[in-house]
Structure formats: C-alpha cells, structure tokens
C-alpha cells in the first residue's frame, strides 16, 4: 500500500490501559472457538449438526474464557517473570 492509501484506512485504536481487556477478548474469542470445535468433535463426532453444536458450546465457553483470562493473566505474567531471564 502507498502512503496515500494507508492514510485513508480508518482504524479503531483503544487507549493503552485497555490492553489487558482487549488481549482477553481476542484470546477468549479465538481459544473458546478452537476448543469448542475440538471438544464437540471428540464428544459427538462430525455429523450434520456439528456446527450448531459448536456454536451452542461457544456461547457458554466464550464468556467463561474471557473472565478466566482476566483472572489468570496477571498470575501467568508473574510466573513468566519468575521463570524467564530479563534483559
């Protein structure tokens, strides 16, 4: 893309202090969907209602994952800090 093209693209940017919440939202969205796919397949197999079962599981998994990530993220950051050398 040229500079003229990139300037025309509107981007939504959130303030830096919202980073943990945006991270949790993206992580929960992706992981809950992937886990819903895998767990639904392992429980029921791939049948005619597979995607509707996945979506039903996702409706429960996504909010749960979001709040769990908000709670667990600071603990994981601390654990990583204790186990990885800094610069």
């Amino acid at each position: 893309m040229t500079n003229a093209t990139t300037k025309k693209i509107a981007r939504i940017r959130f303030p830096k202090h919202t980073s943990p919440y945006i991270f949790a939202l993206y992580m929960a969205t992706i992981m809950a969907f992937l886990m819903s796919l895998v767990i639904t397949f392992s429980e029921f197999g791939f049948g005619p209602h597979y995607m509707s079962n996945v979506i039903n599981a996702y409706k429960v998994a996504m909010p749960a994952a979001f709040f769990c990530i908000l709670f667990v993220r600071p603990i994981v950051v601390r654990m990583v800090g204790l186990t990885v050398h800094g610069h």
Side-chain angles (χ1 to χ4, degrees), residues 35-77:
M35 294 305 295
S36 295
L37 288 169
V38 171
I39 293 169
T40 300
F41 181 76
S42 70
E43 286 293 316
F44 304 110
F46 191 79
H49 303 291
Y50 175 70
M51 283 311 292
S52 63
N53 290 338
V54 167
I55 297 304
N56 288 333
Y58 182 75
K59 288 177 185 177
V60 174
M62 199 306 202
F66 178 73
F67 289 111
C68 288
I69 290 169
L70 286 177
F71 176 74
V72 172
R73 184 180 180 274
I75 298 167
V76 173
V77 168

Side-chain angles (χ1 to χ4, degrees), residues 15-36:
K16 187 173 177 115
H17 71 274
T18 62
S19 293
Y21 306 104
I22 301 301
F23 174 86
L25 178 67
Y26 291 161
M27 180 65 83
T29 300
I30 294 166
M31 290 305 296
F33 184 70
L34 292 174
M35 294 305 295
S36 295

Side-chain angles (χ1 to χ4, degrees), residues 3-25:
N3 285 339
T5 306
T6 56
K7 289 180 184 178
K8 291 180 182 179
I9 297 174
R11 291 186 183 183
I12 297 173
R13 296 285 186 153
F14 296 100
K16 187 173 177 115
H17 71 274
T18 62
S19 293
Y21 306 104
I22 301 301
F23 174 86
L25 178 67

